Amino acid sequence: MKIIKILYILGAVALLFGAVARMFLPEYYAYIYMVGAVVFAVSQFLLRPRNCTLALRRLVMQQQLAGLLFIAAGVLMFTHTHNEWMMVLTCGALVELYTAYRIPHEQDKQ
């Protein structure tokens, strides 16, 4: 479980670095981002809590959806030459931000 948490953090860092690297490494940014997005999303699926309330399960499913949106943004980086991927990335980031705030709140209520 500790290795998965470390991979979760490394995936998030690679995801962020890949999104920012577009300015500095335009030929490699999509690869860096995609590796980070896949590691981040897989970690989210593996770290889901087992025994939880309905509200917490809903929030975890939303968090997993955000991970899938990150992967979709990476696919758009490869398939489209314009900036369509930024909209998908923004949606995923907003959902991830919401769930990152709400999940600990729900866990404290239990």
Side-chain angles (χ1 to χ4, degrees), residues 14 18 29-39 70-75 77-78:
Y29 79 97
Y31 299 104
I32 297 168
Y33 176 87
M34 195 62 179
V35 168
V38 168
V39 170
F70 290 147
I71 292 174
V75 170
M77 285 180 185
F78 287 109

Side-chain angles (χ1 to χ4, degrees), residues 2 4 8 12 23-24 36 46 76 80 82 89 98 109-110:
K2 191 169 193 159
I4 297 172
Y8 179 80
M23 295 179 280
F24 307 111
L46 294 176
L76 286 175
H80 290 76
H82 300 293
L89 176 64
Y98 172 72
K109 283 183 10 180
Q110 285 184 351

Side-chain angles (χ1 to χ4, degrees), residues 38-105:
V38 168
V39 170
F40 186 76
V42 169
S43 307
Q44 281 184 336
F45 277 94
L46 294 176
L47 284 175
R48 67 176 187 248
R50 300 293 179 215
N51 298 328
C52 53
T53 64
L54 181 63
L56 190 57
R57 272 187 291 185
R58 178 185 54 86
L59 288 167
V60 168
M61 285 176 41
Q62 288 174 356
Q63 190 177 40
Q64 292 169 349
L65 173 68
L68 293 176
L69 286 172
F70 290 147
I71 292 174
V75 170
L76 286 175
M77 285 180 185
F78 287 109
T79 58
H80 290 76
T81 57
H82 300 293
N83 295 331
E84 293 92 356
W85 62 272
M86 287 184 183
M87 183 57 90
V88 179
L89 176 64
T90 302
C91 292
L94 289 174
V95 172
E96 186 69 34
L97 181 66
Y98 172 72
T99 58
Y101 174 73
R102 291 290 301 153
I103 286 175
H105 187 268

Side-chain angles (χ1 to χ4, degrees), residues 9-20:
I9 293 169
L10 290 176
V13 169
L15 193 142
L16 179 63
F17 181 71
V20 173

